[in-house]
Amino acid sequence: MPRLAANLSMMYAEHPFLDRFAAAARDGFQGVEFLFPYDHPAAEIRARLDSHGLTQALFNAPPGDWAGGERGIASLPGREDEFQRGLDQALAYAAALGNRSLHVMAGLVAAGQDRDAHRQVYLRNLERAARAAATAGVTIVIEPINPRDMPGYFLTRQDEAQVIRAEVGADNLRVQFDCYHCQIVEGDLAVKLRRDMPGIGHIQIAGVPDRHEPDLGELNYPYLLALIDALGYAGWIGCEYRPRGATTAGLGWAKPYLAGGER
């Protein structure tokens, strides 16, 4: 049975952030994920998790100047010290929240910049991150992101991410398989899931093309979720989508997968 985690950065936007934990639990979610925890003390978030019996499935390391348009710094030359400070902060939050997966964003590469130089920085930073995370029992994940939503993002393809994972060679470095991004860039999701499952550390879902509930659009999610189960994936599946309306009203698609939800 798929283990669904509500993405609290996108879902339950009708509630203040710290109230979204209770809303997700009422609907039957047992896990949550979000982009960044750093605007709130770790103790406040942990209290919400504990109060509602939730597991923290994933969050992102600091991405640089998000408001200013940055989307990660792991591949940016000259930002290595900042990356290390952000990693230290992220691992401290992970320890406080009981979180075991940390997404490290690669960042943007502008036209004309040296991709190979970015790649070398990325590899070194991932090696450092995986080494530091291993001592804390944390898995680092990297995610290919489609260029329609995030133009210029360094990593866009699953096969490229798996090559980087193998090149770094750390047991606790895995690839995040976001079905939405993969469908936009590559398609052929079932084949890629079968091919790459040993190197996948986290999965996310959303409808394509509009990133709403995974019940309409190009992808047959009942088939994909059954396949993911059959392939032996035991991790969380993050529901990283923007609800078309009120979040709870749009959860009909999830009823077969949510235990004890109150609606």
Side-chain angles (χ1 to χ4, degrees):
M1 178 71 69
R3 295 197 301 159
L4 300 182
N7 187 293
L8 301 186
S9 295
M10 291 191 176
M11 301 173 71
Y12 300 103
E14 56 269 35
H15 303 289
F17 178 73
L18 290 175
D19 293 340
R20 297 175 192 179
F21 295 83
R26 284 195 299 270
D27 282 334
F29 286 99
Q30 296 178 313
V32 296
E33 63 176 32
F34 42 70
L35 291 180
F36 311 110
Y38 310 108
D39 286 341
H40 303 277
E44 287 191 7
I45 298 174
R46 183 59 188 256
R48 269 55 177 196
L49 295 169
D50 291 346
S51 294
H52 304 292
L54 294 167
T55 297
Q56 184 67 45
L58 178 81
F59 62 85
N60 295 352
D65 183 4
W66 184 266
E70 290 191 319
R71 293 297 181 263
I73 59 174
S75 77
L76 303 190
R79 305 286 290 276
E80 291 89 344
D81 290 345
E82 181 183 352
F83 175 80
Q84 183 63 57
R85 292 193 299 273
L87 177 66
D88 292 343
Q89 183 184 21
L91 290 175
Y93 266 81
L97 302 181
N99 184 74
R100 291 292 175 261
S101 292
L102 179 66
H103 176 210
V104 171
M105 297 189 73
L108 308 178
V109 181
Q113 289 186 330
D114 185 345
R115 278 192 60 85
D116 186 62
H118 279 259
R119 192 177 191 278
Q120 294 308 311
V121 170
Y122 192 38
L123 290 171
R124 289 194 298 270
N125 277 333
L126 290 178
E127 289 169 359
R128 294 165 64 190
R131 192 162 53 244
T135 65
V138 170
T139 295
I140 299 293
V141 293
I142 57 175
E143 179 187 23
I145 297 177
N146 82 78
R148 186 179 77 197
D149 285 2
M150 201 171 287
Y153 194 71
F154 177 80
L155 191 64
T156 61
R157 294 184 58 87
Q158 290 290 320
D159 53 1
E160 179 186 9
Q162 291 292 346
V163 167
I164 287 172
R165 181 190 69 83
E167 195 167 336
V168 173
D171 290 340
N172 65 324
L173 178 64
R174 293 287 183 269
V175 176
Q176 189 165 310
F177 192 104
D178 187 310
C179 295
Y180 168 79
H181 292 307
C182 188
Q183 172 67 6
I184 291 170
V185 177
E186 306 175 59
D188 209 14
L189 268 65
V191 169
K192 292 174 174 62
L193 285 164
R194 292 189 183 100
R195 180 192 71 192
D196 294 338
M197 187 56 75
I200 292 173
H202 190 70
I203 294 175
Q204 291 176 323
I205 60 176
V208 181
D210 297 320
R211 208 170 193 174
H212 295 318
E213 284 86 348
D215 56 0
L216 294 175
E218 300 173 11
L219 293 177
N220 180 352
Y221 273 111
Y223 168 79
L224 289 173
L225 291 173
L227 173 63
I228 289 166
D229 260 1
L231 292 173
Y233 177 76
W236 293 96
I237 296 178
C239 303
E240 194 183 40
Y241 66 82
R242 293 183 293 266
R244 288 186 290 266
T247 301
T248 300
L251 285 174
W253 70 271
K255 286 183 179 180
Y257 314 113
L258 294 177
E262 298 175 15
R263 296 186 179 83

